[in-house]
């Protein structure tokens, strides 16, 4: 769908009268702007119209709303930390893409945690992030009733520990520690800084949801980050970079057209391309890709996928692109993701802990039941 639709297209898609369309605009459900060619005419944001049509098709039954909320549906948890709105990732009122021009991960932590952040402590000497977090969990205090400043200190220690397991060396900002461990030049260091900022949070993604659930039970901060890291490791979340690397390798070995066709035919989808929240392109990828010279094989893959599906590169593609361009370790996309997203996990854990609410949804049971006499039905 195009980003902006004409009045006639909006009315046709919604199947409503003009008065109803204007009412949706006045209620803030659909954004309107003047046409560039003719300011007397209006255009309407396509994403808003699509969301409204889906909501109307689903109806207002509680069960339908609750079920749809679990898969890219209606918002279910109030937050002031981040959101995706009109194709942009927003951190507490700031565009992430603009923060990436100048901020460090520590700056974003201060913004998302709503408190000054001193330099993160030294990282772990362990080579495994799960073991490093497990060491912090042992004997750690629950979050319940504790000052958010103390929770932020524990979060900084946990994030530094994660980064240390990925090769971060010495002190200073996290991006400089990673760059030092990976022997990067100034340009590579800046790419790492930008990537960390863009990856710091992404609303209620699966790993953040897991971290919030852990926080809602009062688990220690490091345990909340462990929950997030465990979820991120899944192939459908943080593991998407590995799948993209496999697709790129197959494209080099067998030809890009054949590789793309095989992945599509197998129903795997194409990792690194498209995103449900960004139908007009992932702004995080758009902020990174112009800064690197793409490997010719990745250019060929990108062009073939866009031609076949019209899906644009997302952040996973951008992370692979900068990893190849800067000579980062093979697992650098996941390592950047895990290090940066720790800031967001911690922010959500602090916010969830402050609410004192336990996250405990009900399951929609579809199995056998029993009658009043205890007999199966």
């Amino acid at each position: 769908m195009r980003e902006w639709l004409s009045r006639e297209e909006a009315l046709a898609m919604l199947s409503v009268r003009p008065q109803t369309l204007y009412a949706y605009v006045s209620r803030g459900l659909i954004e309107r702007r003047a046409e560039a060619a003719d300011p007397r005419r209006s255009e309407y944001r396509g994403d808003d119209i699509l969301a409204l049509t889906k909501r109307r098709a689903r109806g207002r039954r509680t069960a339908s709303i609750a079920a749809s909320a679990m898969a890219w549906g209606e918002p279910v948890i109030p937050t002031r930390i981040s959101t995706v709105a009109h194709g942009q990732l927003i951190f507490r009122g700031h565009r992430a893409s603009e923060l990436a021009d100048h901020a460090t991960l520590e700056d974003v932590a201060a913004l998302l945690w709503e408190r000054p952040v001193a330099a993160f402590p030294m990282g772990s000497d362990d080579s495994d992030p799960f073991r490093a977090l497990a060491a912090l969990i042992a004997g750690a205090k629950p979050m319940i009733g504790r000052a958010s400043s103390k929770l932020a200190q524990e979060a900084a220690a946990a994030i530094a520990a994660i980064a240390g397991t990925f090769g971060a060396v010495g002190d200073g900002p996290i991006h400089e520690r990673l760059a030092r461990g990976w022997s990067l030049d100034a340009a590579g260091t800046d790419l790492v800084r930008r990537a960390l900022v863009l990856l710091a949070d992404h609303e209620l993604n699966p790993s953040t949801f897991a971290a919030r659930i852990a926080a809602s039970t009062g688990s220690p901060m490091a345990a909340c980050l462990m929950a997030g890291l465990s979820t991120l490791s899944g192939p459908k979340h943080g593991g998407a970079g590995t799948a993209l690397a496999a697709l790129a390798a197959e494209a080099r070995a067998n030809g890009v057209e054949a590789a793309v066709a095989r992945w599509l035919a197998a129903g795997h989808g194409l990792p690194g391309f498209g995103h449900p929240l960004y139908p007009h392109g992932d702004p995080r990828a758009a902020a990174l890709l112009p800064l690197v010279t793409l490997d010719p094989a990745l250019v060929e893959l990108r062009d073939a996928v866009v031609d076949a599906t019209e899906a644009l590169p997302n952040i996973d593609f951008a992370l692979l692109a900068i990893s190849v361009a800067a000579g980062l370790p093979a697992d650098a996309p996941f390592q950047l993701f895990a290090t940066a997203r720790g800031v967001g996990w911690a922010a959500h854990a602090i916010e969830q802990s402050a609410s004192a609410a336990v996250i405990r949804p009900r399951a929609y049971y579809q199995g056998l039941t029993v009658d009043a006499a205890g007999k199966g039905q």
Side-chain angles (χ1 to χ4, degrees), residues 264-291:
L264 287 174
H268 297 317
L270 295 172
F273 296 89
H275 196 292
L277 295 181
Y278 303 115
H280 305 293
D282 189 333
R284 300 168 297 175
L288 289 174
L289 289 175
L291 304 177

Side-chain angles (χ1 to χ4, degrees), residues 79-111:
T79 183
R80 296 175 58 241
I81 297 169
S82 72
T83 189
V84 174
H86 297 159
Q88 291 294 326
L89 174 59
I90 309 297
F91 293 164
R92 292 199 188 276
H94 300 267
R95 288 188 178 188
S97 57
E98 294 176 354
L99 289 171
D101 287 337
H102 60 84
T104 65
L105 184 62
E106 289 79 2
D107 293 332
V108 176
L111 174 66

Side-chain angles (χ1 to χ4, degrees), residues 7 13 27 33 42 95 106 109 117 121 126 137-138 168 171-172 187 189 203 216 252 261 278 283 296 304 314 351 371:
R7 174 180 177 272
M13 188 168 181
R27 289 160 55 192
R33 74 175 186 183
S42 295
R95 288 188 178 188
E106 289 79 2
V117 174
D126 206 314
I137 294 170
D171 54 13
T189 301
E203 204 202 59
S216 79
R252 284 191 294 269
Y278 303 115
N314 62 26
E351 184 178 68
D371 60 19

Side-chain angles (χ1 to χ4, degrees), residues 216-232:
S216 79
T217 70
S219 297
M221 176 58 75
C224 296
L225 268 64
M226 176 76 90
L229 182 64
S230 298
T231 308
L232 183 70

Side-chain angles (χ1 to χ4, degrees), residues 126-214:
D126 206 314
S127 60
D128 183 280
F130 293 99
R131 285 199 302 261
L133 287 178
L136 294 176
I137 294 170
K141 298 179 180 178
M143 297 179 68
I144 298 174
R146 300 181 61 220
S148 56
S149 59
K150 296 295 185 182
L151 300 179
Q153 291 175 8
E154 293 175 359
I159 295 165
I162 292 173
T165 67
F166 297 145
V169 176
D171 54 13
I174 292 293
H175 71 276
E176 292 183 2
R177 300 186 198 185
L178 287 170
R180 196 176 299 126
W182 293 342
S183 302
L184 301 182
D185 59 14
T189 301
D190 190 61
L191 284 174
V192 168
R193 178 191 64 78
R194 290 172 182 269
L196 291 174
V197 169
L198 292 165
L199 292 167
D201 196 51
H202 202 229
E203 204 202 59
L204 200 61
N205 57 84
S207 57
T208 298
F209 191 35
R212 286 196 78 124
I213 292 173

Side-chain angles (χ1 to χ4, degrees), residues 296-316:
L298 290 180
V299 172
E300 190 177 5
L301 177 61
R302 178 201 64 192
D303 293 346
V305 171
V306 172
D307 181 65
T309 68
E310 297 186 349
L312 298 173
N314 62 26
I315 185 61
D316 296 307

